[in-house]
Amino acid sequence: MWRKDFLFGAATASFQIEGASKVDGRLPCIWDTYCATPGRVANGDTGEVACDHYHRYASDFATLSNLGFGAYRFSIAWPRVMDEHGHINPRGVDFYRRLLDTLDELRIQPYATLYHWDLPQHLQDRGGWLNRDTAYRFADYADRMSRLFAGRIRGWMTLNEPYCSAYLGYAEGRHAPGLTNTSYAVEAMHHLLLGHGLAVSALRANDRAPVGLVANVNAVTPASNSAADLNAARLAHANGNLWVLDPLFKGEYPVELEQLWPQAKAPIRVGDMDIIRAPMDFVGINYYFRQVVEADAQRGFKEKPLPNVERTQMGWEVYPDGLRDLLVEFKNRYPELPPIYITENGMASDDRVTEGRVRDEQRMRYLGRHFAAIDEAMKQGVDVRGYFVWSLMDNFEWAYGYEKRFGIVHVDYGTQVRTLKDSALALKEFLAQRD
């Protein structure tokens, strides 16, 4: 089923697991501010402690190694490694040096994401991603990190899910910084992608490691075969998938955005799209669910969830075929599509430790069915090189706080005790069979 060189790893993100939010010179980020705003995050949860990975990374990596994973995708916390003047914070950098040393000792390949949503608050105070200058500050950050860690990172990922940063953060307000203006989202997206393109050049100037970006995608199905619903699906697909990928691989935004948001204009300057479409060595794809949509006179489309389908704790429909179909579509749509890594895939469930065991049968089925979907896509010629399960451990799930558990390792947040779930043990057995 899988090539011997196919990479299997687990993924995490800094704000969701590290904690230590006021330790060793780390500055506040937009998610610290968002968490401190009443009503934003479930139960008033914050990332101040999270999984305390900042102090427990060695034991967490021992677990990762014991499970047999060959790779680890993590994110560097921008506010931990640089101060408000753009200077390096040596104590923050030293944490990631120790992290990389430990991974190296365990022979686990490190894949680093530069931006997993934790923008330094001092940059948000100057406009955040609405300020074009933030793209250049991001490039500076990429330059400094790639100088410091040259030769130590197996793959660089510039942005994680710019759709979520732009749309959920600037149009819907469900993510930091919590703004609610569609025009803001369009501006933020352009500056995020510009920052990506600028960072690609900086990374390549300092390091030979492959460079890519991580995009979240979801399957879209019309609620009926009516012309209105078919158009709604076209708009939803452009919004959720093509808004990021078309600029990267075609050098233009999808025309459907003009129908969705006729008053919102990307602040494009001469040369921007050439920077944005800088060739990448790979693209990361995060996939979780399907949307069924119908026409909506105001928004262009809206969800019409199907009854009697399998869903996760998030309420997301389990639809593995959507991953296969999207991978094949992207291969056909983008002639310049580089190799693909599935950089996130997994599900949340209401996991409990009972007699020392976590029985997460649904997650085991979920992962197996998505493995099969990836295999089918590869048989249709899609170049998929690796897979990272989301997530190594339960963690801070953004606006949901600690209510949703995506990990293959259970975390008791009161005691910080880790417990391998049945899915982790099943993956360990699967990975051992490949050796």
Side-chain angles (χ1 to χ4, degrees), residues 132 135-136 138-139 142 193-203 275-276 278:
R132 184 181 175 93
Y136 293 90
F138 180 66
L193 295 180
L194 178 64
H196 153 77
L198 294 168
V200 168
S201 296
L203 293 165
I275 294 172
I276 288 171

Side-chain angles (χ1 to χ4, degrees), residues 40-108:
R40 291 294 201 182
V41 177
N43 305 310
D45 291 339
T46 75
E48 288 189 19
V49 177
C51 305
D52 195 32
H53 179 72
Y54 191 82
H55 300 109
R56 300 170 188 266
Y57 67 90
S59 59
D60 287 337
F61 290 165
T63 298
L64 186 69
S65 177
N66 178 55
L67 292 174
F69 286 106
Y72 177 61
R73 177 183 171 227
F74 68 102
S75 73
I76 297 172
W78 190 350
R80 195 180 291 286
V81 295
M82 295 184 73
D83 68 17
E84 62 269 33
H85 304 294
H87 301 147
I88 291 297
N89 172 22
R91 290 173 294 172
V93 167
D94 187 57
F95 166 68
Y96 293 106
R97 284 204 176 102
R98 298 195 306 271
L99 182 152
L100 291 170
D101 288 344
T102 305
L103 292 174
D104 187 54
E105 291 169 5
L106 295 170
R107 298 184 180 180
I108 297 172

Side-chain angles (χ1 to χ4, degrees), residues 54-239:
Y54 191 82
H55 300 109
R56 300 170 188 266
Y57 67 90
S59 59
D60 287 337
F61 290 165
T63 298
L64 186 69
S65 177
N66 178 55
L67 292 174
F69 286 106
Y72 177 61
R73 177 183 171 227
F74 68 102
S75 73
I76 297 172
W78 190 350
R80 195 180 291 286
V81 295
M82 295 184 73
D83 68 17
E84 62 269 33
H85 304 294
H87 301 147
I88 291 297
N89 172 22
R91 290 173 294 172
V93 167
D94 187 57
F95 166 68
Y96 293 106
R97 284 204 176 102
R98 298 195 306 271
L99 182 152
L100 291 170
D101 288 344
T102 305
L103 292 174
D104 187 54
E105 291 169 5
L106 295 170
R107 298 184 180 180
I108 297 172
Q109 301 177 28
Y111 284 74
T113 305
L114 286 171
Y115 185 67
H116 202 126
W117 307 352
D118 46 1
L119 184 73
Q121 182 60 42
H122 65 86
L123 290 178
Q124 182 62 40
D125 293 341
R126 291 158 49 190
W129 292 108
L130 297 179
N131 184 349
R132 184 181 175 93
D133 184 64
T134 301
Y136 293 90
R137 301 289 71 76
F138 180 66
D140 290 344
Y141 161 54
D143 175 68
R144 299 301 292 273
M145 292 304 102
S146 55
R147 289 176 186 272
L148 287 167
F149 299 123
R152 304 209 61 188
I153 303 297
R154 193 58 179 259
W156 290 101
M157 303 173 192
T158 55
L159 306 176
N160 178 76
E161 300 184 350
Y163 174 86
C164 294
S165 297
Y167 195 73
L168 301 187
Y170 286 85
E172 292 194 344
R174 293 192 288 125
H175 279 191
L179 303 180
T180 54
N181 185 311
T182 303
S183 292
Y184 288 171
V186 172
E187 292 178 36
M189 177 66 84
H190 185 69
H191 294 147
L192 280 156
L193 295 180
L194 178 64
H196 153 77
L198 294 168
V200 168
S201 296
L203 293 165
R204 288 219 169 99
N206 301 324
D207 196 8
R208 295 181 179 179
V211 178
L213 173 147
V214 172
N216 59 302
V217 300
N218 61 272
V220 178
T221 301
S224 77
N225 287 325
S226 71
D229 286 353
L230 290 171
N231 183 60
R234 183 176 63 88
L235 295 176
H237 181 50
N239 168 62

Side-chain angles (χ1 to χ4, degrees), residues 296-316:
D296 180 80
Q298 286 189 317
R299 298 184 61 247
F301 66 90
K302 64 180 179 180
E303 283 197 68
K304 185 181 182 181
L306 294 177
N308 305 316
V309 298
E310 182 184 1
R311 297 188 181 277
T312 71
Q313 187 191 23
M314 297 289 289
W316 296 343

Side-chain angles (χ1 to χ4, degrees), residues 54 176 221 294 312 321 333 353 404:
Y54 191 82
T221 301
E294 63 181 353
T312 71
D321 287 353
R333 182 180 181 89
V353 180
K404 312 299 185 185

Side-chain angles (χ1 to χ4, degrees), residues 215-373:
N216 59 302
V217 300
N218 61 272
V220 178
T221 301
S224 77
N225 287 325
S226 71
D229 286 353
L230 290 171
N231 183 60
R234 183 176 63 88
L235 295 176
H237 181 50
N239 168 62
N241 301 323
L242 308 184
W243 189 10
V244 171
L245 296 177
D246 271 13
L248 294 173
F249 299 119
K250 298 177 69 176
E252 61 188 21
Y253 289 105
V255 295
E256 290 84 356
L257 300 186
E258 297 178 9
Q259 182 177 344
L260 278 170
W261 313 305
Q263 305 304 318
K265 304 296 181 184
I268 302 171
R269 297 186 186 178
V270 174
D272 281 4
M273 301 313 291
D274 290 332
I275 294 172
I276 288 171
R277 71 177 302 180
M280 294 187 290
D281 301 301
F282 66 90
V283 62
I285 294 294
N286 296 352
Y287 177 84
Y288 291 99
F289 60 88
R290 171 172 74 163
Q291 284 184 311
V292 177
V293 301
E294 63 181 353
D296 180 80
Q298 286 189 317
R299 298 184 61 247
F301 66 90
K302 64 180 179 180
E303 283 197 68
K304 185 181 182 181
L306 294 177
N308 305 316
V309 298
E310 182 184 1
R311 297 188 181 277
T312 71
Q313 187 191 23
M314 297 289 289
W316 296 343
E317 181 188 354
V318 178
Y319 192 70
D321 287 353
L323 176 56
R324 175 202 62 207
D325 296 344
L326 284 169
L327 292 176
V328 173
E329 177 189 339
F330 297 154
K331 172 182 176 292
N332 294 330
R333 182 180 181 89
Y334 305 118
E336 299 177 5
L337 186 73
I340 291 171
Y341 288 86
I342 306 303
T343 36
E344 289 183 26
N345 177 240
M347 60 159 283
S349 57
D350 186 17
D351 300 320
R352 316 283 175 107
V353 180
T354 305
E355 298 178 347
R357 182 178 174 187
V358 180
R359 295 169 171 83
D360 57 339
E361 292 87 354
Q362 186 188 13
R363 181 175 288 105
M364 295 165 68
R365 294 193 304 271
Y366 179 102
L367 295 175
R369 293 171 62 194
H370 283 81
F371 285 179

